[in-house]
Amino acid sequence: MNAILSFAASLAITVLAHHYATAKKVMDIPNHRSSHTQPTPRGGGISFVVTFSAYLAMSGLQNKSDWRLVAALLGGGLAIALVGFLDDHRGLSPRF
């Protein structure tokens, strides 16, 4: 049941992220180094971040995982997700 719920949540969030990116024109424009040839919406990774973070939190709340591990994975993962979000919306320099 958890797998079905996770899949449904991930699918729904991906659809919402696609609509958001299209409406706000948060697009990746292809260049000579791109693997795609058409403009592609950015930000679909948010579905993975949300569903995996929820899984980790539930795992910690149900005492299936050590809270120190949950905190480390959530803290590090959310920090990386924030950098990715900022890069998608503002375009961070490679130096950052």
Side-chain angles (χ1 to χ4, degrees):
M1 185 63 163
N2 288 340
I4 293 170
L5 182 60
S6 295
F7 174 76
S10 182
L11 181 62
I13 296 167
T14 300
V15 169
L16 291 173
H18 183 272
H19 288 300
Y20 171 81
T22 304
K24 298 289 184 180
K25 297 189 184 345
V26 181
M27 306 293 279
D28 187 22
I29 307 301
N31 60 30
H32 68 283
R33 297 179 353 154
S34 299
S35 61
H36 54 278
T37 58
Q38 298 180 14
T40 305
R42 292 180 168 189
I46 190 70
S47 65
F48 176 78
V49 171
V50 170
T51 54
F52 188 68
S53 296
Y55 167 79
L56 282 174
M58 292 304 295
S59 179
L61 288 171
Q62 296 172 353
N63 293 321
K64 293 182 180 179
S65 297
D66 181 10
W67 263 106
R68 293 173 293 182
L69 176 63
V70 170
L73 290 172
L74 279 175
L78 293 175
I80 291 170
L82 177 62
V83 171
F85 179 84
L86 292 174
D87 186 40
D88 284 347
H89 286 75
R90 293 188 181 170
L92 298 177
S93 72
R95 183 177 297 186
F96 180 76

